[in-house]
Amino acid sequence: MRIVVIGGTGLIGTKLVAELKEHGHEAIAASPKSGVDTLTGEGLADVVAGADVVVDVSNSPSFEDTAVLEFFTKATTNILAAEAAAGVGHHVALSVVGAERLGDSGYMRAKVEQEKLIARSPIPYSIVRATQFFEFFKSIARAATAGDDVRLSSASIQPMAADDVATAVGRVAMDAPLNGTLEVGGPEVFGLAAFIAHGLAAHGDTRTVVVDAGARYFGALLSDRELLPDDGARLADTTFDAWLEQDVVSGPKP
């Protein structure tokens, strides 16, 4: 199949393009770097022409409430319009587990609006909702740091490796449209604070992680299970310790 990956040069997109090619598909990475701008529509018609599947794993360059909502609604509208004109038979999008339960978060509200646009479109679709990625534990810690303390909720989280996210999205892209949603997550449940503390300790980071019920996650207050996938989710095999072992060996990340 000819599969176009919007956001194909990012964390998930790069891995997804490589995996699709390994399975013998023609995978095209589309992003501003390749002359495709989903906000303006520039390059979209050309890149989706002849595509069997379009996979959207792009992300907003800004998480500010107004900007992120504009990105996901405008970009998704433009992508869907280009697909309709080209006769694309399957639209796949990566979304977030628990987005509909985190209404205080502008980012999560934007992802919910993106999902609604996709579901209302006449194009057959599949939405893959993933839990948080292991790769982002450092950025979560950075955002929650005040002085030497990292203040985080103890709410439950079931994170997963980006490689496993790409594999899950790839499997869906190579299959028939779900016309619905698939949730994917990691094999282990942690408290959010414990997850971040474990990752920092593995890297020799001496910051103190403090459990704070008032700490916000992407702008939302958490109680307990908002970030967990529902029953029936597809769970990956890679544990956090296995991922950390490789991460530490491969050296520091920016």
Side-chain angles (χ1 to χ4, degrees):
M1 291 188 292
R2 177 180 170 88
I3 303 175
V4 174
V5 180
I6 307 292
T9 58
L11 174 64
I12 302 300
T14 301
K15 298 174 184 295
L16 177 58
V17 167
E19 182 156 325
L20 292 170
K21 287 181 176 178
E22 287 178 4
H23 282 83
H25 300 288
E26 180 188 0
I28 298 95
S31 74
K33 293 180 181 178
S34 66
V36 178
D37 188 329
T38 56
L39 279 177
T40 65
E42 180 184 359
L44 267 176
D46 289 339
V47 79
V48 303
D52 299 292
V53 183
V54 173
V55 184
D56 183 9
V57 294
S58 62
N59 205 359
S60 173
S62 170
F63 283 12
E64 188 274 327
D65 286 3
T66 301
V68 74
L69 180 62
E70 180 182 11
F71 176 84
F72 282 118
T73 54
K74 193 170 184 179
T76 301
T77 298
N78 287 339
I79 294 167
L80 291 170
E83 290 173 4
V88 174
H90 188 187
H91 177 92
V92 181
L94 178 61
S95 192
V96 183
V97 162
E100 77 284 4
R101 298 190 286 266
L102 300 173
D104 289 342
S105 167
Y107 183 87
M108 300 302 179
R109 291 196 302 271
K111 293 301 288 184
V112 169
E113 290 305 310
Q114 179 191 30
E115 290 190 15
K116 289 179 180 178
L117 287 169
I118 294 166
R120 288 198 296 262
S121 167
I123 299 168
Y125 73 94
S126 302
I127 295 171
V128 181
R129 291 180 180 166
T131 57
Q132 184 57 269
F133 308 163
F134 295 153
E135 283 78 359
F136 290 152
F137 86 87
K138 293 178 187 177
S139 58
I140 293 171
R142 189 180 308 118
T145 295
D148 291 328
D149 292 343
V150 183
R151 310 191 73 86
L152 291 162
S153 167
S154 62
S156 299
I157 191 169
Q158 197 165 341
M160 64 189 300
D163 281 338
D164 291 334
V165 177
T167 295
V169 174
R171 287 175 178 169
V172 170
M174 291 183 282
D175 209 342
L178 298 171
N179 289 316
T181 301
L182 170 70
E183 291 194 334
V184 296
E188 306 162 297
V189 177
F190 300 87
L192 177 59
F195 164 56
I196 302 302
H198 190 61
L200 294 178
H203 279 266
D205 192 314
T206 59
R207 281 177 289 176
T208 300
V209 176
V210 178
V211 175
D212 181 353
R216 291 180 177 267
Y217 179 82
F218 289 99
L221 285 173
L222 303 175
S223 56
D224 182 26
R225 301 183 61 83
E226 293 96 336
L227 304 179
L228 296 182
D230 293 331
D231 293 341
R234 183 180 295 171
L235 302 183
D237 295 326
T238 308
T239 66
F240 191 34
D241 279 336
W243 181 87
L244 279 169
E245 183 177 355
Q246 182 59 41
D247 187 56
V248 171
V249 168
S250 64
K253 308 293 189 301

